[in-house]
Amino acid sequence: KQWYQRRVRGGQGGVDRDMDRAFEMQHAAAQQGHADGLFDTGIMLLKGQGVPRNVTRARQYLERAVKAGNRAAPGTLGYLELNENGNITGAVHYFNISHNMGDTDSTHNLAVIQSFYQPFDTDPYYSHRMFKKAA
């Protein structure tokens, strides 16, 4: 069912794009606790797709998606912390979770924060190692 929900959202595979219907379907999956439904509902709320943009509600769904095991949610929350709130500590927290799940984008983001924003690790080679892991 998840594949169909994403086709409705993207208008793929001969399915007409209908963002309102896609949000309804994702939200129904989220209410049942499905990790991908929680994540997709959060993303749609964050982008205002099929529903008015609501960063607060998006964050709530994304946090639930992390707890449900969605691998993309922690990196998205890290991005929100850094770019919406300017909270480097919060961003590092979520990027670390995502990095530990094997997300190389978050690994790269940790290296960038260490190198260019605010060092959070005392190891002088931390960012170098993280850039290498992300490559």
Side-chain angles (χ1 to χ4, degrees):
K1 187 171 182 176
Q2 192 71 28
W3 65 269
Y4 180 74
Q5 294 167 351
R6 289 194 172 145
R7 284 183 182 220
V8 169
R9 181 174 164 196
Q12 303 166 341
V15 178
D16 291 335
R17 184 176 188 173
D18 183 345
M19 297 306 276
D20 294 335
R21 178 73 180 127
F23 182 80
E24 289 173 16
M25 294 171 77
Q26 296 296 353
H27 189 250
Q31 288 180 315
Q32 294 177 12
H34 294 283
D36 288 343
L38 290 162
F39 176 74
D40 289 341
T41 298
I43 292 296
M44 293 181 83
L45 283 161
L46 184 61
K47 294 181 175 183
Q49 295 176 327
V51 65
R53 185 173 194 265
N54 187 323
V55 176
T56 302
R57 281 187 62 212
R59 176 181 301 281
Q60 293 168 350
Y61 278 96
L62 292 168
E63 287 172 354
R64 288 177 53 203
V66 170
K67 291 176 184 171
N70 182 279
R71 293 176 58 125
T76 303
L77 284 165
Y79 173 85
L80 271 175
E81 286 296 330
L82 189 61
N83 295 299
E84 292 278 335
N85 300 332
N87 180 357
I88 293 173
T89 303
V92 167
H93 168 74
Y94 285 114
F95 287 143
N96 265 318
I97 293 171
S98 192
H99 160 72
N100 290 331
M101 295 172 115
D103 178 34
T104 56
D105 287 339
S106 289
T107 304
H108 180 265
N109 290 336
L110 287 168
V112 168
I113 291 170
Q114 175 74 16
S115 295
F116 302 109
Y117 286 90
Q118 172 181 322
F120 54 88
D121 193 289
T122 56
D123 180 354
Y125 300 104
Y126 177 88
S127 60
H128 176 74
R129 281 195 330 277
M130 295 304 263
F131 277 126
K132 281 184 78 172
K133 287 180 182 180

